[in-house]
Amino acid sequence: DGGITQSPKYLFRKEGQNVTLSCEQNLNHDAMYWYRQDPGQGLRLIYYSQIVNDFQKGDIAEGYSVSREKKESFPLTVTSAQKNPTAFYLCASSKSPGQGAYRVNSPLHFGNGTRLTVT
Amino acid sequence: EDKVVQSPLSLVVHEGDTVTLNCSYEVTNFRSLLWYKQEKKAPTFLFMLTSSGIEKKSGRLSSILDKKELSSILNITATQTGDSAIYLCAVEDPYYSGGGADGLTFGKGTHLIIQP
């Protein structure tokens, strides 16, 4: 079955350490996304990638970094510069949305998330 | 900046009741409105609405878009405990760069609790 796999489900780290969250998809989707979800805040976009070797900042990219070396994989690194890293992180993918007015709508497919706790 | 506001933020009802969840938006270039259900982990897609006045239905769930009022409602009839979840609304503005490749802006969600 095709889907998105995030690992690990739970992650605990001490303050000051970088940590990398994994996201793998076998849906053959071009676009991948990282969202952060805090209680009462909804989903906020961290980074997204429309194609291999290219990615763009979302609304809250500070303190995070990503790479897109393969179509299937879009790992997120939470760096020590992120001031409030404890959150639930969701990875998502979609078919290539196209450009501008010719974008093709495609619902996002989400992974099961990683809950990161930094103490 | 695009905005999506959902109401209520939380709702507790009894099994069998009917609920209506609201989503209002302010976007520059509206393309679509999407509803997702998030039970514990991954949000799952419910509906995509692009045309005003056309109801989309799936079992006990239905949704409709009102472009004049810049809003959408999600109705759940004869609620069951399995309907307990966070319901997320998102609006697509393809020219809104802050929302990623699809220009998606999410609301804060409505946390629905169905009591037996």
Side-chain angles (χ1 to χ4, degrees):
Chain A
D1 283 340
I4 300 180
T5 301
Q6 288 187 243
S7 61
K9 289 183 182 178
Y10 300 96
L11 192 52
F12 297 89
R13 278 295 181 268
K14 290 190 184 288
E15 206 172 295
Q17 291 180 329
N18 291 355
V19 61
T20 297
L21 282 57
S22 169
C23 178
E24 304 276 333
Q25 55 99 358
N26 59 4
L27 298 166
N28 200 32
H29 284 171
D30 288 307
M32 295 187 74
Y33 310 78
W34 274 105
Y35 288 92
R36 171 180 171 141
Q37 188 175 32
D38 296 283
Q41 291 289 328
L43 297 184
R44 292 185 289 168
L45 184 66
I46 304 171
Y47 266 99
Y48 68 98
S49 167
Q50 291 184 261
I51 197 167
V52 173
N53 291 323
D54 183 59
F55 46 82
Q56 307 293 331
K57 292 181 179 179
D59 288 332
I60 55 165
E62 187 175 346
Y64 299 97
S65 66
V66 293
S67 62
R68 188 87 186 277
E69 295 177 5
K70 298 186 298 181
K71 187 175 183 178
E72 302 79 18
S73 179
F74 191 41
L76 173 75
T77 297
V78 184
T79 75
S80 56
Q82 167 49 233
K83 292 177 183 175
N84 187 19
T86 295
F88 186 56
Y89 291 87
L90 281 164
C91 179
S93 70
S94 69
K95 295 178 185 176
S96 178
Q99 296 296 322
Y102 300 99
R103 288 187 180 184
V104 176
N105 295 324
S106 167
L108 294 176
H109 295 259
F110 286 90
N112 280 331
T114 292
R115 190 166 296 281
L116 173 65
T117 303
V118 176
T119 57
Chain B
E1 185 177 326
D2 290 354
K3 283 184 185 177
V4 177
V5 178
Q6 292 186 246
S7 64
L9 290 180
S10 65
L11 183 59
V12 181
V13 299
H14 288 102
E15 213 168 10
D17 288 349
T18 293
V19 297
T20 299
L21 310 183
N22 298 281
C23 177
S24 62
Y25 59 88
E26 291 178 28
V27 301
T28 308
N29 301 285
F30 177 87
R31 174 171 283 274
S32 67
L33 184 146
L34 301 97
W35 284 98
Y36 288 86
K37 177 183 181 183
Q38 184 179 22
E39 291 183 71
K40 286 185 182 175
K41 297 175 181 176
T44 53
F45 172 73
L46 293 175
F47 299 112
M48 178 187 285
L49 306 162
T50 55
S51 300
S52 203
I54 298 175
E55 185 183 55
K56 293 223 172 173
K57 203 169 168 64
S58 175
R60 296 175 294 102
L61 277 68
S62 63
S63 184
I64 195 162
L65 177 67
D66 186 337
K67 285 187 178 179
K68 191 176 176 184
E69 295 296 324
L70 305 182
S71 66
S72 173
I73 59 170
L74 175 68
N75 276 324
I76 309 175
T77 59
T79 52
Q80 302 170 359
T81 54
D83 295 325
S84 296
I86 296 173
Y87 290 84
L88 297 167
C89 173
V91 173
E92 184 190 8
D93 171 357
Y95 296 100
Y96 176 53
S97 59
D102 290 319
L104 279 180
T105 300
F106 279 86
K108 293 184 178 181
T110 292
H111 190 184
L112 177 64
I113 297 172
I114 312 295
Q115 291 183 335

PDB file of all heavy atoms in Angstrom, chain B residues 63-102:
ATOM      1  N   SER B  63     -20.936  18.860   3.095  1.00  0.00           N
ATOM      2  CA  SER B  63     -20.309  20.173   3.168  1.00  0.00           C
ATOM      3  C   SER B  63     -20.742  21.006   1.979  1.00  0.00           C
ATOM      4  O   SER B  63     -21.029  20.479   0.897  1.00  0.00           O
ATOM      5  CB  SER B  63     -18.788  20.031   3.184  1.00  0.00           C
ATOM      6  OG  SER B  63     -18.170  21.288   3.341  1.00  0.00           O
ATOM      7  N   ILE B  64     -20.786  22.311   2.200  1.00  0.00           N
ATOM      8  CA  ILE B  64     -21.187  23.221   1.125  1.00  0.00           C
ATOM      9  C   ILE B  64     -20.392  24.514   1.258  1.00  0.00           C
ATOM     10  O   ILE B  64     -19.990  24.910   2.343  1.00  0.00           O
ATOM     11  CB  ILE B  64     -22.712  23.472   1.179  1.00  0.00           C
ATOM     12  CG1 ILE B  64     -23.208  24.097  -0.126  1.00  0.00           C
ATOM     13  CG2 ILE B  64     -23.089  24.316   2.377  1.00  0.00           C
ATOM     14  CD1 ILE B  64     -24.707  23.959  -0.315  1.00  0.00           C
ATOM     15  N   LEU B  65     -20.167  25.127   0.112  1.00  0.00           N
ATOM     16  CA  LEU B  65     -19.375  26.359   0.055  1.00  0.00           C
ATOM     17  C   LEU B  65     -20.280  27.524  -0.317  1.00  0.00           C
ATOM     18  O   LEU B  65     -21.159  27.384  -1.172  1.00  0.00           O
ATOM     19  CB  LEU B  65     -18.278  26.190  -1.002  1.00  0.00           C
ATOM     20  CG  LEU B  65     -17.362  27.359  -1.313  1.00  0.00           C
ATOM     21  CD1 LEU B  65     -16.471  27.690  -0.125  1.00  0.00           C
ATOM     22  CD2 LEU B  65     -16.522  27.054  -2.545  1.00  0.00           C
ATOM     23  N   ASP B  66     -20.076  28.656   0.334  1.00  0.00           N
ATOM     24  CA  ASP B  66     -20.805  29.877  -0.003  1.00  0.00           C
ATOM     25  C   ASP B  66     -19.781  30.958  -0.305  1.00  0.00           C
ATOM     26  O   ASP B  66     -19.243  31.591   0.603  1.00  0.00           O
ATOM     27  CB  ASP B  66     -21.710  30.287   1.177  1.00  0.00           C
ATOM     28  CG  ASP B  66     -22.607  31.468   0.824  1.00  0.00           C
ATOM     29  OD1 ASP B  66     -22.275  32.231  -0.095  1.00  0.00           O
ATOM     30  OD2 ASP B  66     -23.635  31.635   1.491  1.00  0.00           O
ATOM     31  N   LYS B  67     -19.500  31.173  -1.582  1.00  0.00           N
ATOM     32  CA  LYS B  67     -18.461  32.128  -1.961  1.00  0.00           C
ATOM     33  C   LYS B  67     -18.880  33.566  -1.680  1.00  0.00           C
ATOM     34  O   LYS B  67     -18.032  34.425  -1.465  1.00  0.00           O
ATOM     35  CB  LYS B  67     -18.124  31.979  -3.439  1.00  0.00           C
ATOM     36  CG  LYS B  67     -17.292  30.753  -3.757  1.00  0.00           C
ATOM     37  CD  LYS B  67     -16.877  30.785  -5.217  1.00  0.00           C
ATOM     38  CE  LYS B  67     -16.020  29.617  -5.573  1.00  0.00           C
ATOM     39  NZ  LYS B  67     -15.634  29.648  -7.005  1.00  0.00           N
ATOM     40  N   LYS B  68     -20.180  33.804  -1.667  1.00  0.00           N
ATOM     41  CA  LYS B  68     -20.649  35.161  -1.377  1.00  0.00           C
ATOM     42  C   LYS B  68     -20.349  35.521   0.083  1.00  0.00           C
ATOM     43  O   LYS B  68     -19.932  36.627   0.393  1.00  0.00           O
ATOM     44  CB  LYS B  68     -22.143  35.243  -1.649  1.00  0.00           C
ATOM     45  CG  LYS B  68     -22.709  36.647  -1.644  1.00  0.00           C
ATOM     46  CD  LYS B  68     -24.170  36.639  -2.028  1.00  0.00           C
ATOM     47  CE  LYS B  68     -24.765  38.039  -1.916  1.00  0.00           C
ATOM     48  NZ  LYS B  68     -26.211  38.045  -2.195  1.00  0.00           N
ATOM     49  N   GLU B  69     -20.577  34.538   0.960  1.00  0.00           N
ATOM     50  CA  GLU B  69     -20.315  34.751   2.385  1.00  0.00           C
ATOM     51  C   GLU B  69     -18.886  34.383   2.775  1.00  0.00           C
ATOM     52  O   GLU B  69     -18.518  34.497   3.943  1.00  0.00           O
ATOM     53  CB  GLU B  69     -21.296  33.911   3.220  1.00  0.00           C
ATOM     54  CG  GLU B  69     -22.746  34.323   3.064  1.00  0.00           C
ATOM     55  CD  GLU B  69     -22.997  35.729   3.575  1.00  0.00           C
ATOM     56  OE1 GLU B  69     -22.368  36.124   4.583  1.00  0.00           O
ATOM     57  OE2 GLU B  69     -23.806  36.444   2.951  1.00  0.00           O
ATOM     58  N   LEU B  70     -18.088  33.912   1.829  1.00  0.00           N
ATOM     59  CA  LEU B  70     -16.698  33.500   2.078  1.00  0.00           C
ATOM     60  C   LEU B  70     -16.656  32.486   3.220  1.00  0.00           C
ATOM     61  O   LEU B  70     -15.909  32.649   4.211  1.00  0.00           O
ATOM     62  CB  LEU B  70     -15.826  34.717   2.412  1.00  0.00           C
ATOM     63  CG  LEU B  70     -15.822  35.845   1.397  1.00  0.00           C
ATOM     64  CD1 LEU B  70     -14.878  36.946   1.844  1.00  0.00           C
ATOM     65  CD2 LEU B  70     -15.437  35.361   0.013  1.00  0.00           C
ATOM     66  N   SER B  71     -17.461  31.451   3.091  1.00  0.00           N
ATOM     67  CA  SER B  71     -17.512  30.486   4.179  1.00  0.00           C
ATOM     68  C   SER B  71     -17.953  29.126   3.684  1.00  0.00           C
ATOM     69  O   SER B  71     -18.452  28.961   2.559  1.00  0.00           O
ATOM     70  CB  SER B  71     -18.473  30.966   5.267  1.00  0.00           C
ATOM     71  OG  SER B  71     -19.797  30.985   4.762  1.00  0.00           O
ATOM     72  N   SER B  72     -17.759  28.143   4.560  1.00  0.00           N
ATOM     73  CA  SER B  72     -18.204  26.783   4.291  1.00  0.00           C
ATOM     74  C   SER B  72     -18.688  26.187   5.595  1.00  0.00           C
ATOM     75  O   SER B  72     -18.245  26.574   6.685  1.00  0.00           O
ATOM     76  CB  SER B  72     -17.049  25.951   3.746  1.00  0.00           C
ATOM     77  OG  SER B  72     -17.404  24.587   3.635  1.00  0.00           O
ATOM     78  N   ILE B  73     -19.628  25.239   5.485  1.00  0.00           N
ATOM     79  CA  ILE B  73     -20.034  24.490   6.664  1.00  0.00           C
ATOM     80  C   ILE B  73     -19.829  23.005   6.414  1.00  0.00           C
ATOM     81  O   ILE B  73     -19.915  22.538   5.273  1.00  0.00           O
ATOM     82  CB  ILE B  73     -21.497  24.764   7.065  1.00  0.00           C
ATOM     83  CG1 ILE B  73     -22.449  24.398   5.932  1.00  0.00           C
ATOM     84  CG2 ILE B  73     -21.690  26.199   7.516  1.00  0.00           C
ATOM     85  CD1 ILE B  73     -23.910  24.417   6.347  1.00  0.00           C
ATOM     86  N   LEU B  74     -19.542  22.306   7.510  1.00  0.00           N
ATOM     87  CA  LEU B  74     -19.439  20.855   7.492  1.00  0.00           C
ATOM     88  C   LEU B  74     -20.503  20.331   8.444  1.00  0.00           C
ATOM     89  O   LEU B  74     -20.496  20.687   9.622  1.00  0.00           O
ATOM     90  CB  LEU B  74     -18.052  20.406   7.937  1.00  0.00           C
ATOM     91  CG  LEU B  74     -17.828  18.901   8.079  1.00  0.00           C
ATOM     92  CD1 LEU B  74     -17.860  18.215   6.716  1.00  0.00           C
ATOM     93  CD2 LEU B  74     -16.490  18.619   8.765  1.00  0.00           C
ATOM     94  N   ASN B  75     -21.414  19.543   7.936  1.00  0.00           N
ATOM     95  CA  ASN B  75     -22.489  18.978   8.743  1.00  0.00           C
ATOM     96  C   ASN B  75     -22.227  17.508   9.004  1.00  0.00           C
ATOM     97  O   ASN B  75     -21.809  16.766   8.112  1.00  0.00           O
ATOM     98  CB  ASN B  75     -23.828  19.085   8.016  1.00  0.00           C
ATOM     99  CG  ASN B  75     -24.476  20.425   8.208  1.00  0.00           C
ATOM    100  OD1 ASN B  75     -24.385  21.026   9.276  1.00  0.00           O
ATOM    101  ND2 ASN B  75     -25.124  20.911   7.171  1.00  0.00           N
ATOM    102  N   ILE B  76     -22.490  17.094  10.225  1.00  0.00           N
ATOM    103  CA  ILE B  76     -22.437  15.671  10.564  1.00  0.00           C
ATOM    104  C   ILE B  76     -23.754  15.325  11.227  1.00  0.00           C
ATOM    105  O   ILE B  76     -24.101  15.897  12.270  1.00  0.00           O
ATOM    106  CB  ILE B  76     -21.272  15.336  11.511  1.00  0.00           C
ATOM    107  CG1 ILE B  76     -19.948  15.898  10.985  1.00  0.00           C
ATOM    108  CG2 ILE B  76     -21.162  13.818  11.687  1.00  0.00           C
ATOM    109  CD1 ILE B  76     -18.773  15.712  11.931  1.00  0.00           C
ATOM    110  N   THR B  77     -24.494  14.428  10.632  1.00  0.00           N
ATOM    111  CA  THR B  77     -25.779  14.024  11.213  1.00  0.00           C
ATOM    112  C   THR B  77     -25.625  12.712  11.977  1.00  0.00           C
ATOM    113  O   THR B  77     -24.678  11.945  11.742  1.00  0.00           O
ATOM    114  CB  THR B  77     -26.836  13.826  10.112  1.00  0.00           C
ATOM    115  OG1 THR B  77     -26.359  12.812   9.207  1.00  0.00           O
ATOM    116  CG2 THR B  77     -27.085  15.106   9.339  1.00  0.00           C
ATOM    117  N   ALA B  78     -26.534  12.474  12.917  1.00  0.00           N
ATOM    118  CA  ALA B  78     -26.544  11.228  13.706  1.00  0.00           C
ATOM    119  C   ALA B  78     -25.137  10.873  14.176  1.00  0.00           C
ATOM    120  O   ALA B  78     -24.619   9.784  13.902  1.00  0.00           O
ATOM    121  CB  ALA B  78     -27.146  10.095  12.882  1.00  0.00           C
ATOM    122  N   THR B  79     -24.512  11.796  14.887  1.00  0.00           N
ATOM    123  CA  THR B  79     -23.109  11.635  15.268  1.00  0.00           C
ATOM    124  C   THR B  79     -22.863  10.359  16.066  1.00  0.00           C
ATOM    125  O   THR B  79     -23.732   9.887  16.819  1.00  0.00           O
ATOM    126  CB  THR B  79     -22.624  12.834  16.091  1.00  0.00           C
ATOM    127  OG1 THR B  79     -23.534  13.047  17.175  1.00  0.00           O
ATOM    128  CG2 THR B  79     -22.512  14.082  15.242  1.00  0.00           C
ATOM    129  N   GLN B  80     -21.654   9.836  15.898  1.00  0.00           N
ATOM    130  CA  GLN B  80     -21.212   8.633  16.618  1.00  0.00           C
ATOM    131  C   GLN B  80     -19.904   8.965  17.318  1.00  0.00           C
ATOM    132  O   GLN B  80     -19.219   9.924  16.956  1.00  0.00           O
ATOM    133  CB  GLN B  80     -20.995   7.489  15.615  1.00  0.00           C
ATOM    134  CG  GLN B  80     -22.228   7.150  14.805  1.00  0.00           C
ATOM    135  CD  GLN B  80     -21.924   6.197  13.664  1.00  0.00           C
ATOM    136  OE1 GLN B  80     -20.792   5.782  13.437  1.00  0.00           O
ATOM    137  NE2 GLN B  80     -22.979   5.821  12.937  1.00  0.00           N
ATOM    138  N   THR B  81     -19.536   8.149  18.297  1.00  0.00           N
ATOM    139  CA  THR B  81     -18.301   8.432  19.043  1.00  0.00           C
ATOM    140  C   THR B  81     -17.089   8.433  18.113  1.00  0.00           C
ATOM    141  O   THR B  81     -16.112   9.129  18.350  1.00  0.00           O
ATOM    142  CB  THR B  81     -18.091   7.415  20.182  1.00  0.00           C
ATOM    143  OG1 THR B  81     -18.135   6.095  19.635  1.00  0.00           O
ATOM    144  CG2 THR B  81     -19.159   7.558  21.254  1.00  0.00           C
ATOM    145  N   GLY B  82     -17.164   7.684  17.041  1.00  0.00           N
ATOM    146  CA  GLY B  82     -16.062   7.649  16.066  1.00  0.00           C
ATOM    147  C   GLY B  82     -15.892   8.934  15.286  1.00  0.00           C
ATOM    148  O   GLY B  82     -14.893   9.109  14.578  1.00  0.00           O
ATOM    149  N   ASP B  83     -16.852   9.835  15.413  1.00  0.00           N
ATOM    150  CA  ASP B  83     -16.729  11.137  14.750  1.00  0.00           C
ATOM    151  C   ASP B  83     -15.877  12.110  15.569  1.00  0.00           C
ATOM    152  O   ASP B  83     -15.548  13.199  15.100  1.00  0.00           O
ATOM    153  CB  ASP B  83     -18.113  11.771  14.525  1.00  0.00           C
ATOM    154  CG  ASP B  83     -18.964  10.966  13.559  1.00  0.00           C
ATOM    155  OD1 ASP B  83     -18.407  10.390  12.601  1.00  0.00           O
ATOM    156  OD2 ASP B  83     -20.203  10.914  13.769  1.00  0.00           O
ATOM    157  N   SER B  84     -15.558  11.712  16.792  1.00  0.00           N
ATOM    158  CA  SER B  84     -14.722  12.559  17.643  1.00  0.00           C
ATOM    159  C   SER B  84     -13.366  12.758  16.975  1.00  0.00           C
ATOM    160  O   SER B  84     -12.675  11.792  16.648  1.00  0.00           O
ATOM    161  CB  SER B  84     -14.528  11.926  19.019  1.00  0.00           C
ATOM    162  OG  SER B  84     -15.745  11.831  19.695  1.00  0.00           O
ATOM    163  N   ALA B  85     -12.987  14.005  16.762  1.00  0.00           N
ATOM    164  CA  ALA B  85     -11.753  14.312  16.036  1.00  0.00           C
ATOM    165  C   ALA B  85     -11.572  15.819  15.993  1.00  0.00           C
ATOM    166  O   ALA B  85     -12.446  16.586  16.433  1.00  0.00           O
ATOM    167  CB  ALA B  85     -11.815  13.776  14.603  1.00  0.00           C
ATOM    168  N   ILE B  86     -10.442  16.229  15.453  1.00  0.00           N
ATOM    169  CA  ILE B  86     -10.248  17.635  15.090  1.00  0.00           C
ATOM    170  C   ILE B  86     -10.567  17.755  13.604  1.00  0.00           C
ATOM    171  O   ILE B  86     -10.046  16.987  12.788  1.00  0.00           O
ATOM    172  CB  ILE B  86      -8.806  18.089  15.362  1.00  0.00           C
ATOM    173  CG1 ILE B  86      -8.507  18.030  16.855  1.00  0.00           C
ATOM    174  CG2 ILE B  86      -8.581  19.507  14.836  1.00  0.00           C
ATOM    175  CD1 ILE B  86      -7.048  18.307  17.202  1.00  0.00           C
ATOM    176  N   TYR B  87     -11.419  18.698  13.259  1.00  0.00           N
ATOM    177  CA  TYR B  87     -11.778  18.916  11.864  1.00  0.00           C
ATOM    178  C   TYR B  87     -11.076  20.182  11.386  1.00  0.00           C
ATOM    179  O   TYR B  87     -11.252  21.258  11.943  1.00  0.00           O
ATOM    180  CB  TYR B  87     -13.301  19.019  11.707  1.00  0.00           C
ATOM    181  CG  TYR B  87     -13.953  17.676  11.935  1.00  0.00           C
ATOM    182  CD1 TYR B  87     -14.259  17.233  13.219  1.00  0.00           C
ATOM    183  CD2 TYR B  87     -14.220  16.819  10.870  1.00  0.00           C
ATOM    184  CE1 TYR B  87     -14.820  15.981  13.440  1.00  0.00           C
ATOM    185  CE2 TYR B  87     -14.779  15.568  11.067  1.00  0.00           C
ATOM    186  CZ  TYR B  87     -15.068  15.153  12.355  1.00  0.00           C
ATOM    187  OH  TYR B  87     -15.616  13.910  12.570  1.00  0.00           O
ATOM    188  N   LEU B  88     -10.264  19.995  10.362  1.00  0.00           N
ATOM    189  CA  LEU B  88      -9.443  21.082   9.840  1.00  0.00           C
ATOM    190  C   LEU B  88     -10.009  21.589   8.523  1.00  0.00           C
ATOM    191  O   LEU B  88     -10.413  20.806   7.662  1.00  0.00           O
ATOM    192  CB  LEU B  88      -8.008  20.593   9.597  1.00  0.00           C
ATOM    193  CG  LEU B  88      -7.227  20.128  10.830  1.00  0.00           C
ATOM    194  CD1 LEU B  88      -5.971  19.380  10.410  1.00  0.00           C
ATOM    195  CD2 LEU B  88      -6.866  21.314  11.701  1.00  0.00           C
ATOM    196  N   CYS B  89     -10.007  22.889   8.393  1.00  0.00           N
ATOM    197  CA  CYS B  89     -10.406  23.541   7.145  1.00  0.00           C
ATOM    198  C   CYS B  89      -9.162  24.205   6.556  1.00  0.00           C
ATOM    199  O   CYS B  89      -8.360  24.793   7.292  1.00  0.00           O
ATOM    200  CB  CYS B  89     -11.484  24.584   7.445  1.00  0.00           C
ATOM    201  SG  CYS B  89     -11.951  25.628   6.054  1.00  0.00           S
ATOM    202  N   ALA B  90      -8.991  24.106   5.243  1.00  0.00           N
ATOM    203  CA  ALA B  90      -7.856  24.755   4.582  1.00  0.00           C
ATOM    204  C   ALA B  90      -8.351  25.399   3.293  1.00  0.00           C
ATOM    205  O   ALA B  90      -9.249  24.871   2.629  1.00  0.00           O
ATOM    206  CB  ALA B  90      -6.761  23.740   4.275  1.00  0.00           C
ATOM    207  N   VAL B  91      -7.766  26.524   2.963  1.00  0.00           N
ATOM    208  CA  VAL B  91      -8.152  27.235   1.749  1.00  0.00           C
ATOM    209  C   VAL B  91      -6.938  27.381   0.846  1.00  0.00           C
ATOM    210  O   VAL B  91      -5.843  27.690   1.313  1.00  0.00           O
ATOM    211  CB  VAL B  91      -8.746  28.615   2.085  1.00  0.00           C
ATOM    212  CG1 VAL B  91      -8.996  29.416   0.815  1.00  0.00           C
ATOM    213  CG2 VAL B  91     -10.033  28.452   2.853  1.00  0.00           C
ATOM    214  N   GLU B  92      -7.142  27.149  -0.436  1.00  0.00           N
ATOM    215  CA  GLU B  92      -6.065  27.238  -1.402  1.00  0.00           C
ATOM    216  C   GLU B  92      -6.119  28.563  -2.155  1.00  0.00           C
ATOM    217  O   GLU B  92      -7.150  28.925  -2.724  1.00  0.00           O
ATOM    218  CB  GLU B  92      -6.147  26.094  -2.402  1.00  0.00           C
ATOM    219  CG  GLU B  92      -4.981  26.091  -3.385  1.00  0.00           C
ATOM    220  CD  GLU B  92      -5.157  25.123  -4.532  1.00  0.00           C
ATOM    221  OE1 GLU B  92      -6.252  24.548  -4.663  1.00  0.00           O
ATOM    222  OE2 GLU B  92      -4.204  24.965  -5.303  1.00  0.00           O
ATOM    223  N   ASP B  93      -5.008  29.260  -2.124  1.00  0.00           N
ATOM    224  CA  ASP B  93      -4.809  30.479  -2.903  1.00  0.00           C
ATOM    225  C   ASP B  93      -3.519  30.264  -3.668  1.00  0.00           C
ATOM    226  O   ASP B  93      -2.438  30.360  -3.086  1.00  0.00           O
ATOM    227  CB  ASP B  93      -4.711  31.675  -1.960  1.00  0.00           C
ATOM    228  CG  ASP B  93      -4.281  32.962  -2.647  1.00  0.00           C
ATOM    229  OD1 ASP B  93      -3.999  32.924  -3.870  1.00  0.00           O
ATOM    230  OD2 ASP B  93      -4.236  33.993  -1.971  1.00  0.00           O
ATOM    231  N   PRO B  94      -3.605  29.946  -4.953  1.00  0.00           N
ATOM    232  CA  PRO B  94      -2.403  29.538  -5.680  1.00  0.00           C
ATOM    233  C   PRO B  94      -1.332  30.621  -5.787  1.00  0.00           C
ATOM    234  O   PRO B  94      -0.195  30.328  -6.110  1.00  0.00           O
ATOM    235  CB  PRO B  94      -2.940  29.164  -7.065  1.00  0.00           C
ATOM    236  CG  PRO B  94      -4.249  29.841  -7.173  1.00  0.00           C
ATOM    237  CD  PRO B  94      -4.795  29.921  -5.784  1.00  0.00           C
ATOM    238  N   TYR B  95      -1.691  31.864  -5.492  1.00  0.00           N
ATOM    239  CA  TYR B  95      -0.714  32.935  -5.575  1.00  0.00           C
ATOM    240  C   TYR B  95      -0.179  33.350  -4.214  1.00  0.00           C
ATOM    241  O   TYR B  95       0.596  34.288  -4.110  1.00  0.00           O
ATOM    242  CB  TYR B  95      -1.317  34.157  -6.290  1.00  0.00           C
ATOM    243  CG  TYR B  95      -1.671  33.843  -7.720  1.00  0.00           C
ATOM    244  CD1 TYR B  95      -2.994  33.550  -8.069  1.00  0.00           C
ATOM    245  CD2 TYR B  95      -0.699  33.792  -8.713  1.00  0.00           C
ATOM    246  CE1 TYR B  95      -3.329  33.237  -9.373  1.00  0.00           C
ATOM    247  CE2 TYR B  95      -1.029  33.481 -10.012  1.00  0.00           C
ATOM    248  CZ  TYR B  95      -2.337  33.207 -10.337  1.00  0.00           C
ATOM    249  OH  TYR B  95      -2.669  32.890 -11.618  1.00  0.00           O
ATOM    250  N   TYR B  96      -0.588  32.626  -3.169  1.00  0.00           N
ATOM    251  CA  TYR B  96      -0.112  32.938  -1.823  1.00  0.00           C
ATOM    252  C   TYR B  96       1.135  32.124  -1.559  1.00  0.00           C
ATOM    253  O   TYR B  96       1.069  30.939  -1.292  1.00  0.00           O
ATOM    254  CB  TYR B  96      -1.194  32.631  -0.788  1.00  0.00           C
ATOM    255  CG  TYR B  96      -0.743  32.844   0.648  1.00  0.00           C
ATOM    256  CD1 TYR B  96      -0.171  34.036   1.055  1.00  0.00           C
ATOM    257  CD2 TYR B  96      -0.903  31.838   1.596  1.00  0.00           C
ATOM    258  CE1 TYR B  96       0.239  34.222   2.361  1.00  0.00           C
ATOM    259  CE2 TYR B  96      -0.500  32.014   2.906  1.00  0.00           C
ATOM    260  CZ  TYR B  96       0.073  33.208   3.274  1.00  0.00           C
ATOM    261  OH  TYR B  96       0.467  33.395   4.568  1.00  0.00           O
ATOM    262  N   SER B  97       2.278  32.747  -1.597  1.00  0.00           N
ATOM    263  CA  SER B  97       3.534  32.020  -1.506  1.00  0.00           C
ATOM    264  C   SER B  97       3.774  31.459  -0.109  1.00  0.00           C
ATOM    265  O   SER B  97       4.487  30.493   0.066  1.00  0.00           O
ATOM    266  CB  SER B  97       4.704  32.924  -1.901  1.00  0.00           C
ATOM    267  OG  SER B  97       4.743  34.051  -1.046  1.00  0.00           O
ATOM    268  N   GLY B  98       3.158  32.058   0.908  1.00  0.00           N
ATOM    269  CA  GLY B  98       3.398  31.591   2.270  1.00  0.00           C
ATOM    270  C   GLY B  98       2.789  30.244   2.567  1.00  0.00           C
ATOM    271  O   GLY B  98       3.084  29.629   3.585  1.00  0.00           O
ATOM    272  N   GLY B  99       1.905  29.775   1.711  1.00  0.00           N
ATOM    273  CA  GLY B  99       1.211  28.525   1.986  1.00  0.00           C
ATOM    274  C   GLY B  99       1.778  27.330   1.263  1.00  0.00           C
ATOM    275  O   GLY B  99       1.138  26.288   1.169  1.00  0.00           O
ATOM    276  N   GLY B 100       2.974  27.470   0.739  1.00  0.00           N
ATOM    277  CA  GLY B 100       3.577  26.324   0.074  1.00  0.00           C
ATOM    278  C   GLY B 100       3.159  26.207  -1.370  1.00  0.00           C
ATOM    279  O   GLY B 100       2.570  27.116  -1.947  1.00  0.00           O
ATOM    280  N   ALA B 101       3.431  25.059  -1.954  1.00  0.00           N
ATOM    281  CA  ALA B 101       3.222  24.847  -3.388  1.00  0.00           C
ATOM    282  C   ALA B 101       1.764  25.039  -3.784  1.00  0.00           C
ATOM    283  O   ALA B 101       1.458  25.478  -4.879  1.00  0.00           O
ATOM    284  CB  ALA B 101       3.691  23.447  -3.780  1.00  0.00           C
ATOM    285  N   ASP B 102       0.842  24.722  -2.886  1.00  0.00           N
ATOM    286  CA  ASP B 102      -0.572  24.894  -3.180  1.00  0.00           C
ATOM    287  C   ASP B 102      -1.139  26.171  -2.571  1.00  0.00           C
ATOM    288  O   ASP B 102      -2.315  26.447  -2.729  1.00  0.00           O
ATOM    289  CB  ASP B 102      -1.380  23.715  -2.637  1.00  0.00           C
ATOM    290  CG  ASP B 102      -1.101  22.456  -3.414  1.00  0.00           C
ATOM    291  OD1 ASP B 102      -1.007  22.542  -4.641  1.00  0.00           O
ATOM    292  OD2 ASP B 102      -0.970  21.392  -2.792  1.00  0.00           O
TER     293      ASP B 102
END
